[in-house]
Amino acid sequence: MKIALACDHGGLKLKGEVINYLKEHGYGYEDFGTCTAESCDYPDYALPAAEAVASGKCDRGIVICSTGIGVSIVANKVPGVRCAHCHDTYCAEFTRLHNDANVLAMGEKVVGTGYALKIVEKFLTTEFEGGRHQRRIDKITAIEKKYCK
């Protein structure tokens, strides 16, 4: 599985910890930046990561800023992306089970590093249940088609 990663300056430290986790657990990844602590604009990094997931270049994505909110808004503007802003393992598990979320958003200032890595683990190891949930995903896709012309 290949993971698209992105952050702004507010998520740089946590992104580094996520990279270490991915390496330790044998995941491939592509880092879309930022790579410095200099102030920057999160859309410049979250957008290409989300596009990589939507295009199939990457299987899933993880985007990080101070709160996780800004990067999740950006990622969800990309048709085909279902980005979930998670701050606990329960949400990470159920967004995969029920929503087939393909991008995880987190906030470095919201969740501690150790727990953030448990959220990442749940997000990456939980598979979509399908079944009745697929009907709902199909409705989301229809909404995208209606408004993203």
Side-chain angles (χ1 to χ4, degrees):
M1 184 182 307
K2 187 173 181 183
I3 311 303
L5 293 173
C7 71
D8 68 357
H9 57 283
L12 185 63
K13 180 182 173 194
L14 181 54
K15 185 183 76 170
E17 295 296 331
V18 171
I19 287 172
N20 290 338
Y21 174 91
L22 296 175
K23 287 178 180 178
E24 288 173 14
H25 291 86
Y27 291 98
Y29 69 91
E30 185 167 346
D31 186 351
F32 290 90
T34 190
C35 298
T36 72
E38 185 177 323
S39 181
C40 62
D41 300 329
Y42 57 83
D44 297 340
Y45 304 98
L47 178 61
E51 290 172 335
V53 174
S55 73
K57 181 178 180 184
C58 292
D59 302 296
R60 295 202 193 141
I62 300 172
V63 292
I64 306 167
C65 64
S66 295
T67 64
I69 297 168
V71 291
S72 70
I73 292 170
V74 172
N76 277 316
K77 297 295 182 187
V78 178
V81 168
R82 289 175 305 284
C83 180
H85 178 209
C86 297
H87 50 81
D88 59 57
T89 56
Y90 180 84
C91 290
E93 178 180 11
F94 277 83
T95 199
R96 287 289 310 131
L97 287 170
H98 292 185
N99 310 121
D100 197 20
N102 51 13
V103 177
L104 169 66
M106 294 188 297
E108 182 177 304
K109 294 186 186 322
V110 176
V111 62
T113 301
Y115 196 55
L117 297 179
K118 291 178 191 273
I119 293 168
V120 167
E121 178 180 26
K122 242 348 151 179
F123 181 76
L124 295 178
T125 60
T126 303
E127 294 302 322
F128 178 51
E129 280 185 346
R132 72 183 193 276
H133 304 293
Q134 184 60 54
R135 179 178 72 245
R136 297 163 187 156
I137 300 306
D138 294 343
K139 289 181 179 187
I140 293 169
T141 302
I143 292 167
E144 284 179 346
K145 287 179 182 175
K146 179 179 179 181
Y147 289 101
C148 298
K149 297 178 181 182

